[in-house]
Amino acid sequence: HFIDATVGGGGHAQAILEASSPDGRLLGLDADAGAIARCHQRLAPYGPRVTLVHANFADLEATARVHGFTEVDGVLFDLGLSSFQLAAPERGFSFQLDGPLDMRFDLRRSLTAADLVNKLSETELADLLWRYGEERRARRIAREIVRRRPLHTTAELAAAVIAAVGRRGRLHPATKTFMALRIATNDELAALDAALPQAVRLLAPGRGRLAVLSYHSLEDRLTKQ
């Protein structure tokens, strides 16, 4: 019994199913309904060995118990966002594709990145960019965003960041701003903080393993702690 708490495009899930053949079972969760739909198609050949649920991993333990996944052999978290989400301009995750400032993994949530960008005070916005993006130029960026408000698209936000700090080096200047807004919009760190102890409780004593793939220092620090 394995749990993929961020099933995404289904690559890890498929590898786990292959490695645990013929009897291994997998529970896949994702906050993005689109990911669940894609995985239903990709993982269909594995039939009843796969259970897919549209759910946030903050509710990992309750979801697992409902579907009979207790004392599991492994739990996997692959944090961040997927290439499918980045490639869809209507989702608003990428500063390279113009689209609405959405950034929600789960479209059932009401709060969007546009709400944060347009409603927070300059100080609150700067604090958000520093806390979740570790953006050293947060105050300059926040000041420029507020000056240009309202902002409705990813291109408008990226332009505001470039106007505030210019362009230097290979990293796009809006990278940390977009990351910070995405993390805040989806309450990602709170969800991870809630999910990790639940994952540990679900592991089979003596043999269960928990693996977390993290991509920035905030996730990494929280996981290690």
Side-chain angles (χ1 to χ4, degrees), residues 35-115:
I36 296 297
R38 284 190 297 273
C39 287
H40 270 299
Q41 200 166 25
R42 179 171 185 171
L43 303 177
Y46 300 94
R49 293 177 57 203
V50 184
T51 302
L52 298 171
V53 182
H54 179 205
N56 191 297
F57 57 54
D59 302 316
L60 178 65
E61 193 168 15
T63 305
R65 294 193 184 282
V66 164
H67 295 281
F69 281 75
T70 57
E71 296 202 356
V72 300
D73 298 282
V75 182
L76 171 67
F77 293 81
D78 184 4
L79 304 175
L81 73 170
S82 73
S83 57
F84 293 102
Q85 291 162 331
L86 273 174
E90 70 276 9
R91 302 299 299 274
F93 288 109
S94 175
F95 44 75
Q96 295 177 324
L97 300 170
D98 194 19
L101 276 173
D102 193 318
M103 299 194 193
R104 291 173 295 169
F105 290 152
D106 188 341
L107 297 179
R108 297 173 299 187
R109 294 175 68 98
S110 58
L111 183 75
T112 68
D115 293 325

